[in-house]
Amino acid sequence: MSQLDKRRQSHPERAMFDTEAMFWHVSGYFQPPALDEGFDLEVIES
């Protein structure tokens, strides 16, 4: 079960907005951080 499916079940009032199409639409506004923003990602494998 996807995260969107879980959210629709736990918050039925949001079901009409929590769709895959809406996810991709909103995600289109995000962009990766620029190097000058100082975002450092450290991956730690256990």
Side-chain angles (χ1 to χ4, degrees), residues 6-45:
K6 291 177 187 175
R7 193 172 328 154
R8 282 193 295 266
Q9 286 184 357
S10 65
H11 300 285
E13 69 279 5
R14 295 176 44 166
M16 71 169 21
F17 301 106
D18 285 337
T19 64
E20 188 170 347
M22 183 62 76
F23 171 81
W24 289 113
H25 176 76
V26 171
S27 296
Y29 290 98
F30 289 89
Q31 59 187 14
L35 292 176
D36 64 347
E37 292 181 281
F39 180 78
D40 294 318
L41 180 66
E42 182 178 347
V43 177
I44 300 172
E45 296 186 31

